Amino acid sequence: MLVNEARSFREVCPKNGIAVTHQRQVLYEVMKTMHGHPSPEEVYAQVPAISLATVYKNLHLFVESGVFREVSMHHGCAWR
């Protein structure tokens, strides 16, 4: 799921050209603890203090910057 799972959030962001924010750090840490390939809705269920729109926005940013890799279990159902 994570490209560089062992690296800390504060190391990963600058190397991938994204700003460090509290919400992104929360999402990153939650994603590190989740097993399998969670959907944005499953991530949101773990962090309801962050809006679903923010979860989607930041997951897209993480994928585009190379922090995460996108995995689609079924063709056509990726959250992009």
Side-chain angles (χ1 to χ4, degrees), residues 1 29-39 42-43 46:
M1 176 184 351
E29 297 300 330
V30 166
M31 292 292 292
K32 280 177 61 173
T33 66
M34 297 182 81
H35 298 286
H37 305 286
S39 69
E42 291 169 322
V43 175
Q46 299 297 314

Side-chain angles (χ1 to χ4, degrees), residues 3-72:
V3 173
N4 297 305
E5 193 165 341
R7 291 195 175 153
S8 77
F9 178 74
R10 294 188 180 277
E11 290 175 315
V12 169
C13 284
K15 289 181 181 181
N16 289 284
I18 59 176
V20 174
T21 69
H22 177 70
Q23 289 180 328
R24 289 178 186 154
Q25 183 164 5
V26 169
L27 290 171
Y28 179 86
E29 297 300 330
V30 166
M31 292 292 292
K32 280 177 61 173
T33 66
M34 297 182 81
H35 298 286
H37 305 286
S39 69
E41 290 78 11
E42 291 169 322
V43 175
Y44 171 71
Q46 299 297 314
V47 288
I50 298 174
S51 75
L52 182 57
T54 298
V55 171
Y56 270 91
K57 176 183 172 185
N58 283 288
L59 291 180
H60 283 294
L61 178 64
F62 286 153
V63 169
E64 290 171 2
S65 67
V67 174
F68 293 121
R69 289 186 308 259
E70 184 176 24
V71 175
S72 175

